[in-house]
Amino acid sequence: MSWEKSIEELRRRERLAEKMGGEEPVERQRGRGKLTVRERVAFLVDPGSFHEIGKIAGRASYTAEDELESFLPASSVTGRATIDHRPVVVIADDFTVRGGASDASIWQKMVQMIKMATEYRMPLVQMIDGTGGGGSVKALEKDPRTYIPETPGWNEIVHGLSEVPFVSLALGPCAGMGAGRVAASHFSVMVKELSQVFVAGPPVAIALGENVTKEELGGWKIQAQNGTVDNVVDSEADAFIAARKFLSYLPPSVHHLPERTQPADDPKRREESLLSLVPTDGKTPYKPRKIIEAAVDRGSFFEIGKEWGRGIVCGLARIDGYPVGIMAGDPFFLDGAWTADVCDKVCRHMDLCSMFHLPVIHFVDCPGFAVGVKAETAGVTRAGVRAMTAVYQADVPVCSVVIRKAYGLAGSAMMNQSKTKWRYCWPSGDWGSLPMAGGIEAAFRKELAEAEDPEALKAHLYRKFDAIRSPFRTAESFLAEEIIDPRDTRPLLVDFIHHAWRTLEPGTRSTGFRP
Protein backbone atom coordinates (compact mmCIF):
# COMPACT_ATOMS: atom_id res chain seq x y z
CA MET A 1 0.00 0.00 0.00
CA SER A 2 1.15 3.54 -0.75
CA TRP A 3 -0.01 7.14 -0.48
CA GLU A 4 1.24 7.84 -4.01
CA LYS A 5 -2.27 8.53 -5.33
CA SER A 6 -2.86 11.14 -2.61
CA ILE A 7 0.48 12.79 -3.42
CA GLU A 8 -0.51 12.93 -7.09
CA GLU A 9 -3.77 14.62 -6.08
CA LEU A 10 -1.81 17.08 -3.93
CA ARG A 11 0.46 17.94 -6.87
CA ARG A 12 -2.57 18.37 -9.17
CA ARG A 13 -4.15 20.83 -6.76
CA GLU A 14 -0.85 22.71 -6.43
CA ARG A 15 -0.68 23.05 -10.23
CA LEU A 16 -4.24 24.38 -10.25
CA ALA A 17 -3.27 26.96 -7.60
CA GLU A 18 -0.34 28.08 -9.73
CA LYS A 19 -2.76 28.98 -12.52
CA MET A 20 -4.07 31.72 -10.18
CA GLY A 21 -7.36 33.18 -11.53
CA GLY A 22 -7.00 31.50 -14.93
CA GLU A 23 -5.60 32.46 -18.33
CA GLU A 24 -7.94 35.37 -19.07
CA PRO A 25 -7.57 37.17 -15.70
CA VAL A 26 -3.79 36.64 -15.79
CA GLU A 27 -3.61 38.17 -19.26
CA ARG A 28 -5.68 41.14 -18.09
CA GLN A 29 -3.28 41.60 -15.18
CA ARG A 30 -0.29 41.64 -17.49
CA GLY A 31 -2.15 43.87 -19.93
CA ARG A 32 -2.32 46.50 -17.21
CA GLY A 33 1.47 46.40 -16.93
CA LYS A 34 1.33 44.47 -13.66
CA LEU A 35 3.20 41.38 -12.53
CA THR A 36 1.28 38.35 -11.30
CA VAL A 37 1.31 37.59 -7.60
CA ARG A 38 3.77 34.72 -8.00
CA GLU A 39 6.11 36.82 -10.11
CA ARG A 40 6.03 39.49 -7.40
CA VAL A 41 6.99 37.04 -4.70
CA ALA A 42 9.82 35.69 -6.83
CA PHE A 43 11.22 39.17 -7.49
CA LEU A 44 10.91 40.33 -3.87
CA VAL A 45 12.54 37.50 -1.91
CA ASP A 46 15.87 35.69 -2.17
CA PRO A 47 15.84 33.11 -5.02
CA GLY A 48 14.51 29.74 -3.93
CA SER A 49 13.74 30.88 -0.39
CA PHE A 50 9.93 31.06 -0.51
CA HIS A 51 8.08 28.38 1.45
CA GLU A 52 4.40 28.71 0.64
CA ILE A 53 1.73 28.13 3.28
CA GLY A 54 -1.90 27.43 2.38
CA LYS A 55 -1.19 26.93 -1.30
CA ILE A 56 -4.19 24.69 -1.98
CA ALA A 57 -6.65 26.72 0.08
CA GLY A 58 -9.49 28.01 -2.09
CA ARG A 59 -12.95 27.33 -3.46
CA ALA A 60 -13.60 23.89 -4.97
CA SER A 61 -16.58 22.20 -6.60
CA TYR A 62 -17.12 18.45 -6.89
CA THR A 63 -19.01 16.04 -9.14
CA ALA A 64 -21.72 13.74 -7.90
CA GLU A 65 -18.97 11.14 -7.47
CA ASP A 66 -17.02 13.55 -5.23
CA GLU A 67 -14.32 14.12 -7.85
CA LEU A 68 -12.74 17.57 -7.99
CA GLU A 69 -14.47 19.45 -10.81
CA SER A 70 -13.02 22.94 -10.50
CA PHE A 71 -10.75 24.86 -8.17
CA LEU A 72 -10.16 28.59 -7.62
CA PRO A 73 -7.33 29.41 -5.21
CA ALA A 74 -7.69 31.98 -2.46
CA SER A 75 -6.92 35.55 -3.45
CA SER A 76 -3.64 35.64 -1.53
CA VAL A 77 -0.31 33.85 -1.65
CA THR A 78 1.31 33.51 1.76
CA GLY A 79 4.43 32.00 3.28
CA ARG A 80 7.94 32.38 4.67
CA ALA A 81 11.05 33.49 2.82
CA THR A 82 14.27 35.38 3.27
CA ILE A 83 15.28 38.85 2.11
CA ASP A 84 19.03 39.41 2.07
CA HIS A 85 19.28 36.09 3.97
CA ARG A 86 17.05 37.35 6.82
CA PRO A 87 13.70 35.59 7.51
CA VAL A 88 10.47 37.40 6.60
CA VAL A 89 6.78 36.58 6.29
CA VAL A 90 5.04 37.43 3.00
CA ILE A 91 1.38 38.14 2.22
CA ALA A 92 0.71 38.83 -1.47
CA ASP A 93 -2.72 39.61 -2.92
CA ASP A 94 -3.82 38.01 -6.19
CA PHE A 95 -5.99 40.44 -8.15
CA THR A 96 -6.60 37.79 -10.85
CA VAL A 97 -8.81 35.91 -8.40
CA ARG A 98 -12.07 37.90 -8.37
CA GLY A 99 -10.16 41.19 -8.05
CA GLY A 100 -9.52 40.46 -4.39
CA ALA A 101 -13.27 40.43 -3.62
CA SER A 102 -14.40 39.03 -0.27
CA ASP A 103 -15.93 35.90 -1.76
CA ALA A 104 -12.47 34.86 -2.99
CA SER A 105 -10.55 35.59 0.19
CA ILE A 106 -9.75 33.33 3.10
CA TRP A 107 -9.01 35.78 5.88
CA GLN A 108 -7.51 33.09 8.09
CA LYS A 109 -4.44 33.01 5.81
CA MET A 110 -3.67 36.66 6.53
CA VAL A 111 -4.24 36.31 10.28
CA GLN A 112 -2.06 33.21 10.46
CA MET A 113 0.80 35.02 8.72
CA ILE A 114 0.58 38.04 11.01
CA LYS A 115 0.64 35.75 14.03
CA MET A 116 3.67 33.92 12.65
CA ALA A 117 5.56 37.16 11.99
CA THR A 118 4.81 38.46 15.48
CA GLU A 119 5.41 35.28 17.48
CA TYR A 120 8.52 34.21 15.57
CA ARG A 121 9.94 37.74 15.35
CA MET A 122 10.11 38.16 11.59
CA PRO A 123 9.29 41.28 9.54
CA LEU A 124 6.04 41.18 7.56
CA VAL A 125 5.94 42.29 3.92
CA GLN A 126 2.53 42.75 2.30
CA MET A 127 2.00 43.21 -1.44
CA ILE A 128 -1.50 44.66 -1.64
CA ASP A 129 -3.61 44.63 -4.79
CA GLY A 130 -7.38 44.77 -4.27
CA THR A 131 -9.80 44.98 -1.39
CA GLY A 132 -7.78 42.54 0.67
CA GLY A 133 -10.85 40.69 1.96
CA GLY A 134 -13.23 43.59 2.33
CA GLY A 135 -16.95 43.46 1.59
CA SER A 136 -18.55 42.90 -1.80
CA VAL A 137 -22.18 43.59 -2.74
CA LYS A 138 -21.96 40.69 -5.23
CA ALA A 139 -21.27 38.31 -2.34
CA LEU A 140 -24.73 39.05 -0.92
CA GLU A 141 -26.27 37.00 -3.73
CA LYS A 142 -24.67 33.85 -2.37
CA ASP A 143 -25.15 34.74 1.29
CA PRO A 144 -28.36 36.80 1.36
CA ARG A 145 -27.96 38.71 4.61
CA THR A 146 -26.02 41.68 5.94
CA TYR A 147 -23.89 41.74 9.06
CA ILE A 148 -22.58 44.04 11.76
CA PRO A 149 -19.04 44.92 10.57
CA GLU A 150 -16.15 43.11 12.17
CA THR A 151 -12.52 43.07 11.03
CA PRO A 152 -10.92 39.70 11.70
CA GLY A 153 -7.22 40.05 12.29
CA TRP A 154 -7.16 43.71 13.32
CA ASN A 155 -6.17 42.83 16.86
CA GLU A 156 -3.25 40.84 15.45
CA ILE A 157 -2.27 43.81 13.25
CA VAL A 158 -2.30 46.19 16.23
CA HIS A 159 -0.21 43.82 18.33
CA GLY A 160 2.14 43.00 15.46
CA LEU A 161 2.86 46.67 14.78
CA SER A 162 4.37 46.95 18.25
CA GLU A 163 6.60 43.91 17.73
CA VAL A 164 7.96 43.57 14.17
CA PRO A 165 8.45 45.77 11.08
CA PHE A 166 5.41 45.93 8.78
CA VAL A 167 6.07 46.89 5.14
CA SER A 168 3.18 47.46 2.72
CA LEU A 169 3.57 47.75 -1.05
CA ALA A 170 0.48 49.10 -2.84
CA LEU A 171 0.66 47.45 -6.27
CA GLY A 172 -2.80 48.14 -7.65
CA PRO A 173 -6.11 49.64 -6.57
CA CYS A 174 -6.32 49.20 -2.78
CA ALA A 175 -9.78 49.76 -1.32
CA GLY A 176 -11.44 49.10 2.03
CA MET A 177 -9.41 46.60 4.05
CA GLY A 178 -6.71 46.76 1.36
CA ALA A 179 -6.30 50.49 1.96
CA GLY A 180 -6.33 49.89 5.71
CA ARG A 181 -3.50 47.37 5.39
CA VAL A 182 -1.45 49.87 3.38
CA ALA A 183 -1.77 52.49 6.10
CA ALA A 184 -1.26 50.00 8.97
CA SER A 185 2.46 49.69 8.45
CA HIS A 186 5.80 51.17 9.44
CA PHE A 187 6.70 51.80 5.79
CA SER A 188 4.45 51.95 2.74
CA VAL A 189 5.08 52.44 -0.97
CA MET A 190 2.92 53.31 -3.98
CA VAL A 191 3.79 52.87 -7.66
CA LYS A 192 3.05 55.88 -9.84
CA GLU A 193 0.05 55.46 -12.15
CA LEU A 194 -0.22 51.76 -11.16
CA SER A 195 -1.60 51.89 -7.62
CA GLN A 196 -4.34 53.85 -5.89
CA VAL A 197 -5.43 53.86 -2.26
CA PHE A 198 -8.93 54.81 -1.14
CA VAL A 199 -11.57 53.91 1.42
CA ALA A 200 -14.01 53.13 -1.39
CA GLY A 201 -13.57 53.28 -5.16
CA PRO A 202 -14.97 55.66 -7.79
CA PRO A 203 -18.40 53.94 -8.10
CA VAL A 204 -19.15 54.79 -4.46
CA ALA A 205 -17.77 58.32 -4.83
CA ILE A 206 -19.85 58.82 -7.98
CA ALA A 207 -22.96 57.68 -6.10
CA LEU A 208 -22.17 60.41 -3.56
CA GLY A 209 -21.91 63.05 -6.29
CA GLU A 210 -18.17 63.08 -7.07
CA ASN A 211 -17.41 62.01 -10.62
CA VAL A 212 -13.75 60.98 -10.30
CA THR A 213 -11.28 58.47 -11.70
CA LYS A 214 -9.26 56.08 -9.54
CA GLU A 215 -6.21 58.30 -9.89
CA GLU A 216 -8.13 61.47 -9.00
CA LEU A 217 -9.60 59.77 -5.95
CA GLY A 218 -6.58 58.00 -4.49
CA GLY A 219 -3.54 58.40 -6.74
CA TRP A 220 0.01 58.88 -5.50
CA LYS A 221 -0.12 62.68 -5.71
CA ILE A 222 -2.86 62.67 -3.09
CA GLN A 223 -1.72 59.88 -0.79
CA ALA A 224 2.00 60.68 -0.77
CA GLN A 225 1.44 64.38 -0.16
CA ASN A 226 -0.95 63.79 2.74
CA GLY A 227 1.28 61.16 4.36
CA THR A 228 -1.02 58.15 3.93
CA VAL A 229 1.89 56.43 2.19
CA ASP A 230 5.55 57.06 2.81
CA ASN A 231 7.31 56.72 -0.53
CA VAL A 232 6.45 56.73 -4.22
CA VAL A 233 8.36 54.81 -6.90
CA ASP A 234 8.21 54.42 -10.67
CA SER A 235 7.84 50.65 -11.00
CA GLU A 236 7.08 47.44 -9.14
CA ALA A 237 10.79 46.57 -9.26
CA ASP A 238 11.56 49.86 -7.49
CA ALA A 239 8.96 49.00 -4.83
CA PHE A 240 10.72 45.71 -4.10
CA ILE A 241 14.06 47.52 -3.87
CA ALA A 242 12.57 50.07 -1.46
CA ALA A 243 11.18 47.31 0.78
CA ARG A 244 14.54 45.52 0.91
CA LYS A 245 16.37 48.79 1.57
CA PHE A 246 14.05 49.81 4.41
CA LEU A 247 14.32 46.44 6.12
CA SER A 248 18.12 46.50 5.88
CA TYR A 249 18.26 49.21 8.58
CA LEU A 250 15.84 47.57 11.02
CA PRO A 251 16.11 44.62 13.38
CA PRO A 252 13.81 41.64 12.76
CA SER A 253 11.80 42.61 15.85
CA VAL A 254 11.84 44.94 18.84
CA HIS A 255 13.50 42.10 20.76
CA HIS A 256 16.68 42.51 18.72
CA LEU A 257 19.07 45.38 18.08
CA PRO A 258 19.70 46.56 14.51
CA GLU A 259 22.72 45.04 12.81
CA ARG A 260 25.90 46.94 12.09
CA THR A 261 27.32 46.40 8.61
CA GLN A 262 30.99 46.41 7.76
CA PRO A 263 31.97 50.10 7.46
CA ALA A 264 33.08 51.13 3.98
CA ASP A 265 33.70 54.82 4.63
CA ASP A 266 36.39 56.76 6.48
CA PRO A 267 35.10 57.56 9.99
CA LYS A 268 37.37 60.64 10.10
CA ARG A 269 36.27 62.02 6.73
CA ARG A 270 35.99 65.84 6.78
CA GLU A 271 33.99 67.46 4.00
CA GLU A 272 35.34 70.87 2.94
CA SER A 273 31.99 71.73 1.33
CA LEU A 274 30.36 72.00 4.76
CA LEU A 275 32.39 75.12 5.57
CA SER A 276 30.51 77.19 3.00
CA LEU A 277 27.25 75.28 2.49
CA VAL A 278 25.16 77.50 4.80
CA PRO A 279 25.03 81.12 3.48
CA THR A 280 26.41 83.72 5.88
CA ASP A 281 23.45 86.08 5.45
CA GLY A 282 21.28 83.89 7.68
CA LYS A 283 18.40 84.05 5.20
CA THR A 284 19.26 82.27 1.97
CA PRO A 285 18.14 78.62 2.07
CA TYR A 286 20.53 75.71 1.55
CA LYS A 287 20.03 72.02 0.76
CA PRO A 288 19.95 69.96 3.97
CA ARG A 289 20.34 66.68 2.10
CA LYS A 290 23.88 67.76 1.19
CA ILE A 291 24.69 68.02 4.90
CA ILE A 292 23.17 64.60 5.56
CA GLU A 293 25.08 62.98 2.71
CA ALA A 294 28.34 64.55 3.86
CA ALA A 295 27.89 63.34 7.44
CA VAL A 296 26.61 59.77 7.03
CA ASP A 297 28.30 56.81 5.34
CA ARG A 298 28.47 57.46 1.61
CA GLY A 299 25.38 56.34 -0.26
CA SER A 300 23.58 55.16 2.87
CA PHE A 301 20.86 57.80 3.24
CA PHE A 302 17.36 56.42 2.56
CA GLU A 303 14.71 59.13 2.64
CA ILE A 304 11.21 58.44 3.94
CA GLY A 305 8.18 60.67 3.32
CA LYS A 306 9.75 63.09 0.85
CA GLU A 307 6.41 64.29 -0.55
CA TRP A 308 4.76 65.38 2.72
CA GLY A 309 5.70 67.47 5.75
CA ARG A 310 8.37 68.99 3.55
CA GLY A 311 9.68 71.38 6.18
CA ILE A 312 11.65 68.46 7.60
CA VAL A 313 13.67 65.72 5.91
CA CYS A 314 13.39 62.26 7.51
CA GLY A 315 15.02 58.96 6.74
CA LEU A 316 17.46 56.23 7.72
CA ALA A 317 21.20 56.04 7.20
CA ARG A 318 24.38 54.46 8.52
CA ILE A 319 27.22 56.04 10.45
CA ASP A 320 30.36 53.88 10.64
CA GLY A 321 28.12 50.97 9.71
CA TYR A 322 25.56 51.58 12.49
CA PRO A 323 21.95 52.27 11.40
CA VAL A 324 20.50 55.59 12.58
CA GLY A 325 17.41 57.73 12.13
CA ILE A 326 17.83 61.13 10.46
CA MET A 327 15.86 64.38 10.77
CA ALA A 328 16.87 67.69 9.19
CA GLY A 329 15.06 71.01 8.90
CA ASP A 330 14.57 72.15 5.30
CA PRO A 331 14.63 75.96 4.93
CA PHE A 332 13.26 75.71 1.39
CA PHE A 333 9.77 75.14 2.85
CA LEU A 334 8.46 77.97 5.08
CA ASP A 335 12.04 78.39 6.29
CA GLY A 336 11.74 74.99 8.01
CA ALA A 337 8.82 76.02 10.26
CA TRP A 338 6.93 73.13 11.82
CA THR A 339 3.49 73.01 10.23
CA ALA A 340 0.86 70.50 11.39
CA ASP A 341 1.97 67.93 8.82
CA VAL A 342 5.65 68.43 9.73
CA CYS A 343 4.70 67.72 13.34
CA ASP A 344 2.88 64.54 12.32
CA LYS A 345 5.95 63.47 10.37
CA VAL A 346 8.20 64.10 13.38
CA CYS A 347 5.90 61.96 15.57
CA ARG A 348 5.87 59.09 13.10
CA HIS A 349 9.61 59.10 12.57
CA MET A 350 10.55 59.40 16.23
CA ASP A 351 8.21 56.51 17.04
CA LEU A 352 9.76 54.36 14.29
CA CYS A 353 13.29 55.04 15.51
CA SER A 354 12.44 54.56 19.17
CA MET A 355 10.52 51.34 18.59
CA PHE A 356 13.31 49.71 16.61
CA HIS A 357 16.24 51.08 18.66
CA LEU A 358 17.73 53.48 16.11
CA PRO A 359 19.66 56.45 17.60
CA VAL A 360 18.60 59.74 16.00
CA ILE A 361 20.71 62.45 14.40
CA HIS A 362 18.80 65.74 14.19
CA PHE A 363 20.22 68.48 11.98
CA VAL A 364 18.35 71.42 13.45
CA ASP A 365 17.07 74.42 11.50
CA CYS A 366 13.67 75.41 12.90
CA PRO A 367 12.31 78.98 13.20
CA GLY A 368 9.46 77.64 15.34
CA PHE A 369 5.92 76.48 14.70
CA ALA A 370 4.26 77.86 11.58
CA VAL A 371 2.36 81.09 12.24
CA GLY A 372 -0.85 82.39 10.70
CA VAL A 373 -4.50 81.56 10.07
CA LYS A 374 -3.70 78.66 7.71
CA ALA A 375 -1.39 77.05 10.27
CA GLU A 376 -3.87 77.47 13.11
CA THR A 377 -6.74 76.15 10.99
CA ALA A 378 -4.67 73.02 10.33
CA GLY A 379 -4.28 72.49 14.09
CA VAL A 380 -0.60 73.32 14.45
CA THR A 381 -0.85 73.87 18.22
CA ARG A 382 -2.15 70.40 19.09
CA ALA A 383 0.05 68.75 16.43
CA GLY A 384 3.06 70.67 17.75
CA VAL A 385 2.51 69.55 21.32
CA ARG A 386 2.17 65.96 20.11
CA ALA A 387 5.47 66.24 18.24
CA MET A 388 7.24 67.67 21.27
CA THR A 389 5.82 64.85 23.39
CA ALA A 390 6.98 62.23 20.88
CA VAL A 391 10.52 63.64 21.05
CA TYR A 392 10.49 63.58 24.85
CA GLN A 393 9.00 60.06 24.95
CA ALA A 394 11.74 58.64 22.74
CA ASP A 395 13.95 56.17 24.56
CA VAL A 396 16.89 56.20 22.15
CA PRO A 397 19.85 58.60 22.23
CA VAL A 398 19.48 61.77 20.15
CA CYS A 399 22.36 63.91 18.93
CA SER A 400 21.40 67.39 17.75
CA VAL A 401 23.56 69.34 15.32
CA VAL A 402 22.27 72.92 15.31
CA ILE A 403 22.86 74.13 11.77
CA ARG A 404 21.06 77.47 11.90
CA LYS A 405 17.75 78.43 13.53
CA ALA A 406 16.27 77.12 16.77
CA TYR A 407 13.41 79.30 17.99
CA GLY A 408 10.52 78.89 20.39
CA LEU A 409 8.76 75.69 21.43
CA ALA A 410 9.46 73.86 18.18
CA GLY A 411 13.12 74.87 18.28
CA SER A 412 13.36 73.51 21.82
CA ALA A 413 12.11 70.09 20.67
CA MET A 414 15.39 69.21 18.98
CA MET A 415 15.85 66.59 21.72
CA ASN A 416 14.71 65.77 25.24
CA GLN A 417 16.68 68.54 26.89
CA SER A 418 16.15 67.13 30.38
CA LYS A 419 18.59 64.38 29.42
CA THR A 420 22.29 64.67 28.59
CA LYS A 421 22.61 67.25 25.83
CA TRP A 422 24.74 65.53 23.23
CA ARG A 423 24.70 68.53 20.95
CA TYR A 424 26.99 70.31 18.51
CA CYS A 425 26.42 73.81 17.13
CA TRP A 426 27.75 75.26 13.92
CA PRO A 427 28.98 78.90 13.92
CA SER A 428 25.89 79.63 11.79
CA GLY A 429 23.66 78.89 14.81
CA ASP A 430 20.86 81.39 15.44
CA TRP A 431 18.54 80.79 18.40
CA GLY A 432 16.27 82.33 20.97
CA SER A 433 12.70 82.53 22.21
CA LEU A 434 11.70 84.33 19.01
CA PRO A 435 13.48 85.54 15.85
CA MET A 436 15.05 89.00 15.90
CA ALA A 437 13.35 89.91 12.65
CA GLY A 438 10.01 91.36 13.70
CA GLY A 439 10.79 90.88 17.37
CA ILE A 440 12.83 94.08 17.58
CA GLU A 441 10.07 96.09 15.93
CA ALA A 442 7.52 94.67 18.39
CA ALA A 443 9.67 95.21 21.48
CA PHE A 444 10.68 98.79 20.58
CA ARG A 445 7.45 99.92 18.92
CA LYS A 446 7.07 103.00 21.16
CA GLU A 447 10.71 104.10 20.82
CA LEU A 448 10.64 103.68 17.05
CA ALA A 449 7.37 105.63 16.78
CA GLU A 450 8.79 108.56 18.77
CA ALA A 451 12.30 108.61 17.20
CA GLU A 452 13.32 111.46 14.94
CA ASP A 453 14.93 108.92 12.57
CA PRO A 454 13.15 105.56 13.06
CA GLU A 455 15.20 103.80 10.38
CA ALA A 456 18.50 104.85 11.95
CA LEU A 457 17.30 103.67 15.39
CA LYS A 458 16.12 100.37 13.95
CA ALA A 459 19.50 99.81 12.24
CA HIS A 460 21.26 100.59 15.54
CA LEU A 461 19.05 98.12 17.42
CA TYR A 462 19.68 95.38 14.85
CA ARG A 463 23.48 95.87 15.11
CA LYS A 464 23.25 95.76 18.91
CA PHE A 465 21.18 92.59 19.05
CA ASP A 466 23.12 90.90 16.25
CA ALA A 467 26.16 91.11 18.52
CA ILE A 468 24.16 89.77 21.49
CA ARG A 469 22.92 86.77 19.57
CA SER A 470 26.42 85.62 18.61
CA PRO A 471 26.66 81.86 19.27
CA PHE A 472 29.94 82.47 21.07
CA ARG A 473 28.12 84.46 23.76
CA THR A 474 25.77 81.51 24.26
CA ALA A 475 28.76 79.20 24.57
CA GLU A 476 30.32 81.50 27.20
CA SER A 477 27.45 80.53 29.51
CA PHE A 478 27.61 76.84 28.51
CA LEU A 479 24.17 77.13 26.94
CA ALA A 480 25.70 75.87 23.72
CA GLU A 481 27.85 72.96 24.83
CA GLU A 482 30.16 72.85 21.82
CA ILE A 483 30.57 75.06 18.77
CA ILE A 484 32.34 73.08 16.09
CA ASP A 485 33.97 73.42 12.74
CA PRO A 486 31.27 72.06 10.36
CA ARG A 487 33.94 69.87 8.76
CA ASP A 488 34.23 67.95 12.05
CA THR A 489 30.57 66.91 11.96
CA ARG A 490 31.07 63.38 10.65
CA PRO A 491 33.96 62.40 12.98
CA LEU A 492 31.96 63.67 15.96
CA LEU A 493 28.84 61.77 14.89
CA VAL A 494 30.91 58.60 14.54
CA ASP A 495 32.09 59.13 18.11
CA PHE A 496 28.48 59.70 19.26
CA ILE A 497 27.13 56.55 17.65
CA HIS A 498 29.72 54.35 19.33
CA HIS A 499 28.71 55.76 22.71
CA ALA A 500 24.99 55.62 21.88
CA TRP A 501 25.15 51.97 20.91
CA ARG A 502 26.27 50.97 24.41
CA THR A 503 23.03 52.34 25.86
CA LEU A 504 20.58 50.50 23.59
CA GLU A 505 18.47 47.71 25.05
CA PRO A 506 16.08 45.52 23.04
CA GLY A 507 12.47 45.16 24.11
CA THR A 508 8.99 46.60 23.71
CA ARG A 509 8.11 50.23 24.36
CA SER A 510 5.87 51.53 27.12
CA THR A 511 4.72 54.95 25.97
CA GLY A 512 2.49 57.23 28.01
CA PHE A 513 -0.36 59.47 26.92
CA ARG A 514 0.25 61.74 23.96
CA PRO A 515 -1.96 64.87 23.67
Side-chain angles (χ1 to χ4, degrees):
M1 294 181 65
S2 168
W3 291 99
E4 185 174 343
K5 187 175 181 181
S6 294
I7 299 304
E8 289 175 357
E9 177 65 11
L10 170 63
R11 299 299 176 232
R12 180 166 79 102
R13 289 172 181 254
E14 289 175 339
R15 289 192 295 271
L16 289 172
E18 289 168 0
K19 292 182 179 180
M20 297 168 282
E23 290 185 11
E24 186 176 333
V26 167
E27 286 306 310
R28 283 201 301 269
Q29 177 89 347
R30 290 182 172 140
R32 298 185 181 104
K34 298 163 65 175
L35 297 172
T36 67
V37 64
R38 296 187 175 278
E39 290 168 338
R40 287 169 173 169
V41 172
F43 280 117
L44 172 71
V45 305
D46 296 340
S49 70
F50 184 59
H51 175 84
E52 189 167 353
I53 298 171
K55 185 172 185 176
I56 63 171
R59 301 285 189 269
S61 64
Y62 293 86
T63 66
E65 293 76 30
D66 289 325
E67 294 292 329
L68 182 66
E69 186 175 47
S70 65
F71 176 77
L72 185 71
S75 58
S76 65
V77 172
T78 58
R80 302 187 302 272
T82 62
I83 290 179
D84 294 332
H85 309 292
R86 300 169 66 195
V88 298
V89 171
V90 175
I91 301 174
D93 295 348
D94 187 355
F95 194 79
T96 71
V97 180
R98 299 275 297 116
S102 61
D103 58 352
S105 71
I106 297 180
W107 60 263
Q108 291 90 341
K109 291 184 72 175
M110 179 190 76
V111 173
Q112 180 76 355
M113 292 303 100
I114 296 171
K115 287 180 178 179
M116 178 179 290
T118 303
E119 294 174 16
Y120 288 84
R121 301 178 178 180
M122 296 184 281
L124 174 72
V125 182
Q126 302 183 92
M127 293 182 278
I128 302 169
D129 188 359
T131 65
S136 167
V137 173
K138 192 77 172 176
L140 297 177
E141 287 186 327
K142 295 181 179 179
D143 191 4
R145 60 175 173 78
T146 57
Y147 59 91
I148 298 173
E150 185 177 346
T151 306
W154 201 258
N155 182 68
E156 284 74 15
I157 289 173
V158 172
H159 177 54
L161 283 167
S162 67
E163 294 282 331
V164 298
F166 275 41
V167 174
S168 294
L169 308 181
L171 304 177
C174 304
M177 181 60 174
R181 289 164 59 209
V182 172
S185 58
H186 299 105
F187 178 65
S188 56
V189 177
M190 287 183 73
V191 181
K192 289 181 181 179
E193 316 303 332
L194 189 72
S195 57
Q196 300 85 30
V197 176
F198 30 59
V199 172
V204 178
I206 291 169
L208 295 173
E210 289 188 87
N211 192 2
V212 291
T213 65
K214 287 189 294 185
E215 199 66 26
E216 291 169 338
L217 182 61
W220 70 270
K221 290 181 180 178
I222 293 173
Q223 304 296 18
Q225 290 176 11
N226 67 22
T228 296
V229 297
D230 295 302
N231 284 19
V232 178
V233 295
D234 293 323
S235 68
E236 291 191 55
D238 290 335
F240 306 147
I241 292 170
R244 297 174 75 104
K245 184 81 169 176
F246 175 79
L247 289 174
S248 71
Y249 297 96
L250 269 59
S253 79
V254 298
H255 303 285
H256 303 78
L257 292 181
E259 293 183 6
R260 183 191 187 191
T261 59
Q262 183 62 37
D265 196 358
D266 181 4
K268 299 185 183 298
R269 173 166 54 82
R270 300 173 80 249
E271 290 286 346
E272 288 295 322
S273 63
L274 295 181
L275 194 60
S276 56
L277 196 148
V278 177
T280 57
D281 63 9
K283 299 177 182 178
T284 304
Y286 57 88
K287 296 182 178 179
R289 291 170 184 82
K290 289 188 175 182
I291 295 176
I292 297 170
E293 289 161 0
V296 304
D297 294 354
R298 290 190 189 276
S300 72
F301 179 54
F302 178 70
E303 188 166 356
I304 298 173
K306 186 175 183 178
E307 302 295 331
W308 75 293
R310 299 179 75 180
I312 198 161
V313 177
C314 292
L316 306 175
R318 291 188 180 272
I319 293 179
D320 203 30
Y322 290 103
V324 298
I326 298 291
M327 295 199 305
D330 191 340
F332 272 93
F333 296 92
L334 289 181
D335 203 29
W338 282 19
T339 54
D341 59 346
V342 167
C343 294
D344 290 343
K345 189 172 177 178
V346 169
C347 282
R348 180 168 168 78
H349 198 61
M350 289 300 298
D351 284 348
L352 173 71
C353 295
S354 197
M355 176 169 290
F356 293 110
H357 322 305
L358 298 169
V360 175
I361 310 298
H362 187 182
F363 298 97
V364 181
D365 191 350
C366 176
F369 292 122
V371 174
V373 174
K374 184 177 179 181
E376 296 297 346
T377 302
V380 68
T381 303
R382 174 63 61 83
V385 170
R386 285 180 59 81
M388 292 179 67
T389 306
V391 171
Y392 274 71
Q393 287 174 336
D395 50 15
V396 292
V398 178
C399 178
S400 293
V401 183
V402 184
I403 305 300
R404 193 155 65 181
K405 294 180 180 178
Y407 280 98
L409 283 174
S412 76
M414 63 181 70
M415 56 170 44
N416 182 343
Q417 297 203 46
S418 69
K419 295 183 177 181
T420 299
K421 296 184 180 71
W422 205 297
R423 176 165 60 189
Y424 300 108
C425 302
W426 284 16
S428 48
D430 176 16
W431 39 65
S433 60
L434 75 167
M436 293 296 178
I440 289 174
E441 287 85 346
F444 292 90
R445 182 183 295 108
K446 183 175 183 296
E447 291 87 342
L448 289 168
E450 296 173 353
E452 291 185 9
D453 189 344
E455 288 302 317
L457 176 57
K458 185 166 72 171
H460 167 73
L461 291 170
Y462 266 92
R463 285 194 299 271
K464 174 183 176 181
F465 284 99
D466 276 343
I468 291 173
R469 71 178 186 176
S470 164
F472 298 111
R473 294 202 183 187
T474 310
E476 287 171 4
S477 301
F478 196 58
L479 297 174
E481 296 75 30
E482 294 186 60
I483 297 177
I484 65 169
D485 182 333
R487 293 169 293 190
D488 291 331
T489 301
R490 174 172 167 78
L492 288 169
L493 291 180
V494 169
D495 176 58
F496 162 75
I497 200 62
H498 281 268
H499 287 288
W501 214 258
R502 292 185 291 106
T503 73
L504 299 178
E505 295 181 359
T508 56
R509 293 187 73 194
S510 178
T511 304
F513 176 76
R514 187 173 296 168

